[in-house]
Amino acid sequence: MRFPISLTTVLSPSLGAPRALIDVYGPGVAVCARPAVEATGAVSGSRHTRDVLSARPIGIAGDTAVICSAGGTDPILLAMLRDGGLPVGADLRAFRGEVEFAARVREAVGDGLRISMEYPQPAALCAEEHSVKSAALVGHLNNKASINTFVDPRFRARRTVVSRAELAEATPEQKSWVLKAATDDAHGGSLDVCLHLADEPVTLPAFTDVLGEFVVEEYLDIRRNWGIQLYVAADATARLLAVTEQHVDAAGIYTGGRFGLVTPLPAELRAECVAIAQRAADAGYRGLCSLDCAQTADGRLIMLDLNFRITSGSIPLLALQSVRPDALDRPAESVKLTVAAPLAELLTGLRPALAAGGLLVLAGHDTARTDNPIRQATLQLLVFGDDPAEVTARRIALEAAY
């Protein structure tokens, strides 16, 4: 059974509910949510993902400058975001490729803006004195091997850090396990996870070829899966933004979130999430974050991942708070559509659903506006309404159609 929880009651009463990036980061900041190019220099495999991540904050940027892929600045898309009432970024510093990306960062620094790098970038590109938070801190907070240094022992999963030489022994075919990359580099963000079921053939992911250290976790039988959205504003105080739930596919990969009508989070787990974010704040972190946690079938409360960056969970919440605060207490689910077609075609096909209501465009990206030779369009949406079953049905229908 699911019980309603009011998101408006867990927002900070002292600062007021954040509606745009400036409410979190304050003035004089440029946000860059693009992972760095891996040390190996291999770009093609993660290029689309990295560009999409950089463009996600555009719809909620408001007066905050955003260093973003030009793929997210399609005029038709921006007009649709504005028509939806979103505080679309007024200072979009777009890049088409690597050279322009570096130029946009240096231009922002030259304009006197502090850069909020949501993923660590090389010091040669953005020195620490120009950053809202250091690359070393962001890397450490998001390193899968660092989680136990921030989480109370009561909420820790059983996990072990192993070297490449120990990897084969630590990942046997006959047991179930979860393998994660242990690195302070962005290295693909949340993609660095491999789930293995007992007695199936072992196929190690590509990151095991380039990294020297890994985290092996127990494979959990998860009953409930939450994404706790928090933020740390300029006053260095961690605040709870909202409790959301997560959709995962058969392989355990995140595919979207449930907002507005979620299973209540146990009080002790909620307190621990705020405490974790405050520990990061005390270390110098500022910005949005999402902490993934779960309740297992045997009743254990576990912290799974710490995501100290703008996430796909925080963006819908800021969007709703900005344009439809009444929908915060109603069922809502996010969805991402990706097609090998122009973004304009995708938007045209969605116009009837948008006109019918209960659907909000959050962000989009079209590789045709970049120097990426692969043609791909991505659109991120929020489906909302009064009936949770009807909202879920519309979300599934969108996924099936595209």
Side-chain angles (χ1 to χ4, degrees):
M1 179 177 292
R2 300 196 181 281
F3 302 91
I5 178 172
S6 170
L7 300 195
T8 54
T9 61
V10 297
L11 295 167
S12 164
S14 57
L15 288 184
R19 299 171 181 267
L21 294 184
I22 195 169
D23 299 327
V24 175
Y25 295 91
V29 171
V31 168
C32 177
R34 190 189 199 221
V37 176
E38 289 80 359
T40 59
V43 177
S44 57
S46 61
R47 167 68 190 273
H48 180 66
T49 299
R50 293 188 298 112
D51 283 351
V52 169
L53 290 175
S54 77
R56 284 194 309 189
I58 288 175
I60 56 166
D63 294 331
T64 300
V66 178
I67 300 170
C68 57
S69 169
T73 61
D74 178 87
I76 298 175
L77 171 65
L78 296 182
M80 192 168 286
L81 295 173
R82 294 189 184 99
D83 289 344
L86 291 177
V88 179
D91 186 358
L92 303 179
R93 304 187 175 215
F95 58 86
R96 296 183 66 255
E98 298 301 327
V99 174
E100 288 185 7
F101 169 66
R104 297 294 89 79
V105 174
R106 295 189 176 103
E107 288 169 2
V109 170
D111 290 342
L113 298 174
R114 292 181 303 134
I115 312 297
S116 179
M117 290 292 185
E118 302 299 290
Y119 297 84
Q121 297 284 347
L125 179 63
C126 184
E128 186 170 337
E129 60 265 28
H130 301 304
S131 300
V132 172
K133 54 234 177 186
S134 73
L137 175 62
V138 173
H140 179 66
L141 288 170
N142 289 288
N143 190 327
K144 307 299 184 182
S146 303
I147 183 170
N148 283 355
T149 64
F150 290 92
V151 177
D152 186 281
R154 294 176 298 158
F155 304 103
R156 293 177 188 171
R158 289 184 286 273
R159 51 176 64 94
T160 306
V161 180
V162 301
S163 67
R164 185 183 294 175
E166 301 167 317
L167 185 59
E169 183 178 354
T171 56
E173 181 175 315
Q174 65 271 25
K175 292 185 178 180
S176 295
W177 39 261
V178 179
L179 179 67
K180 299 179 180 180
T183 173
D184 280 0
D185 296 329
H187 203 77
S190 60
L191 300 180
D192 291 344
V193 176
C194 172
L195 295 92
H196 172 75
L197 291 174
D199 299 323
E200 292 191 355
V202 173
T203 303
L204 294 178
F207 65 77
T208 58
D209 294 329
V210 295
L211 298 180
E213 199 171 56
F214 313 92
V215 175
V216 180
E217 289 184 2
E218 60 180 317
Y219 196 109
L220 298 168
D221 183 1
I222 294 175
R223 183 183 178 190
R224 296 187 177 93
N225 192 351
W226 295 281
I228 315 307
Q229 313 298 328
L230 305 103
Y231 68 105
V232 180
D235 65 353
T237 299
R239 292 176 171 86
L240 182 64
L241 180 61
V243 176
T244 68
E245 285 185 285
Q246 300 186 334
H247 293 301
V248 295
D249 61 19
I253 304 301
Y254 176 84
T255 60
R258 179 183 293 111
F259 307 82
L261 198 61
V262 301
T263 304
L265 184 71
E268 61 268 38
L269 194 53
R270 178 188 300 234
E272 174 62 11
C273 288
V274 175
I276 290 170
Q278 187 59 54
R279 291 170 198 138
D282 294 343
Y285 184 79
R286 303 291 182 269
L288 293 153
C289 61
S290 175
L291 309 185
D292 297 344
C293 51
Q295 184 179 45
T296 63
D298 60 2
R300 294 168 61 199
L301 299 176
I302 298 291
M303 294 301 308
L304 298 174
D305 278 309
L306 310 182
N307 304 299
F308 280 91
R309 54 185 178 267
I310 294 174
T311 69
S312 55
S314 52
I315 289 175
L317 292 168
L318 267 63
L320 280 177
Q321 183 61 40
S322 179
V323 303
R324 289 295 303 269
D326 61 301
L328 285 167
D329 292 323
R330 299 159 63 193
E333 299 186 20
S334 62
V335 61
K336 182 175 74 172
L337 307 177
T338 300
V339 297
L343 182 63
E345 289 185 15
L346 186 53
L347 293 173
T348 298
L350 286 172
R351 287 191 184 278
L354 289 167
L359 185 64
L360 182 65
V361 177
L362 300 173
H365 188 274
D366 191 340
T367 59
R369 295 179 59 81
T370 75
D371 63 6
N372 188 343
I374 298 174
R375 288 293 168 254
Q376 202 166 37
T378 299
L379 199 61
Q380 290 162 317
L381 306 159
L382 190 68
V383 183
F384 59 92
D386 295 314
D387 181 349
E390 186 268 343
V391 167
T392 298
R394 283 195 288 127
R395 188 260 304 170
I396 292 174
L398 283 169
E399 291 176 329
Y402 295 94

